[in-house]
Amino acid sequence: MGRKPGPRKSEVNRHGLSRDIPADRALRVRRECGFGCVLCGKSVVHYDHFNPEFKDATDHDPAGIALLCGGCHDEKSRKYLSTATIAGARLNPLCKRTGFSWKKLGLQGEPIVDLGGAQFRRSPIQIAGRRLLEVKPGEEPGVPFRLSALFTNAVGHEVLRIEDNIWKASTGSWDVACEGGRISIRSGLSDYCLILRAMPPEGVKVERLDMRLGDYHVQCPDEETFLLLHQGRVIIDARYGVFDGVELIFD
Ligand SMILES: [Zn+2]
């Protein structure tokens, strides 16, 4: 059966159902899938109506919607993946088994990390015995440097780590969502503990952060501010600061 050329995708299906999934149902899908592709765990995903397919759906039933990354969604469209496989993974998603969703950062050269308004180049940060930021050279000439980082929420629970240029977002968070090149992690409805923007190929920018490590708080209340506090007292207040080749250790 041929298809007439026309608009790429209808806003509504033949039952009048909009593609827009209500926010509360989308959040439920994200949580039940562990915030990543149910098959491979990647953080950047589509909402895939698999039971029934969107064209046949009369509502957005979370049980029939799975998070799928572009690659796995493409495999489904090209008939290399069955609906039964997706349904099985929806019930036992990879991220729930591993504890995280992931994404590789497309970095080249020596990574630059912006924490709010402060820029860090070749400047590791250690706080309360934990490595907050670290860059290692590539394992051989010509391969990218390796960025590692650790982010917790305001009560000290890990929400995201970067290991050798791969971010791993914890499935234990209240919400994790990827959109517009960013990963946003919330502890509550409007309680953002981390908004991290990928800045390929240079590095990453932390646009919002509210994390605790021991008696320390690291905060980026906006894109221009970096605050480090110890027992409520401000130790560093940096706006448009550049840290280049400095090791910051607060133990
Ligand atoms: Zn996938």
Side-chain angles (χ1 to χ4, degrees):
M1 193 168 69
R3 214 176 246 189
K4 288 179 193 165
R8 203 162 52 87
K9 261 180 187 171
S10 169
E11 291 302 309
V12 295
N13 70 7
R14 64 194 165 99
H15 298 295
L17 185 69
S18 163
R19 281 205 169 267
D20 297 330
I21 302 172
D24 58 333
R25 294 190 180 201
L27 175 59
R28 189 171 145 196
V29 172
R30 287 199 296 280
R31 284 182 174 169
E32 290 179 355
C33 294
F35 307 116
C37 174
V38 292
L39 289 158
C40 73
K42 275 191 190 169
S43 298
V44 180
V45 287
H46 304 270
Y47 294 84
D48 181 64
H49 291 71
F50 66 94
N51 184 24
E53 293 295 323
F54 176 72
K55 66 181 173 60
D56 301 320
T58 54
D59 72 348
H60 295 293
D61 176 10
I65 303 171
L67 298 185
L68 286 185
C69 74
C72 292
H73 189 264
D74 187 53
E75 290 209 16
K76 178 194 171 190
S77 304
R78 291 167 188 259
K79 318 278 186 215
Y80 293 110
L81 268 178
S82 71
T83 299
T85 298
I86 293 165
R90 175 67 173 81
L91 293 172
N92 189 20
L94 184 67
C95 297
K96 293 264 181 163
R97 287 179 272 140
T98 60
F100 61 86
S101 66
W102 63 276
K103 161 114 185 63
K104 189 173 181 184
L105 294 164
L107 302 181
Q108 291 173 12
E110 204 162 348
I112 299 169
V113 176
D114 287 351
L115 295 176
Q119 189 168 88
F120 294 82
R121 301 162 182 253
R122 296 177 295 167
S123 298
I125 305 175
Q126 180 170 313
I127 293 173
R130 310 284 297 276
R131 276 310 223 197
L132 174 63
L133 197 60
E134 188 163 34
V135 173
K136 294 177 192 154
E139 282 168 319
E140 53 190 271
V143 303
F145 283 77
R146 294 172 291 152
L147 172 65
S148 294
L150 171 69
F151 301 102
T152 67
N153 63 14
V155 293
H157 296 148
E158 179 178 324
V159 293
L160 185 141
R161 67 172 55 214
I162 300 173
E163 282 179 350
D164 293 347
N165 301 340
I166 295 172
W167 86 35
K168 296 179 177 178
S170 168
T171 55
S173 292
W174 190 83
D175 185 28
V176 181
C178 282
E179 208 169 322
R182 290 172 179 79
I183 184 165
S184 301
I185 302 179
R186 293 186 291 173
S187 293
L189 196 58
S190 54
D191 183 5
Y192 286 88
C193 42
L194 174 68
I195 301 176
L196 182 138
R197 180 150 59 110
M199 303 279 284
E202 289 92 8
V204 295
K205 179 173 177 63
V206 172
E207 297 181 338
R208 196 88 74 88
L209 178 63
D210 185 7
M211 75 179 272
R212 177 180 178 157
L213 280 174
D215 289 337
Y216 293 87
H217 275 94
V218 187
Q219 295 175 333
C220 303
D222 53 54
E223 289 185 48
E224 299 171 1
T225 310
F226 169 71
L227 296 171
L228 175 63
L229 300 93
H230 181 246
Q231 296 181 337
R233 193 167 54 86
V234 176
I235 298 174
I236 296 177
D237 180 344
R239 290 174 174 82
Y240 305 110
V242 175
F243 296 83
D244 194 341
V246 184
E247 186 170 27
L248 301 177
I249 298 179
F250 298 93
D251 279 340

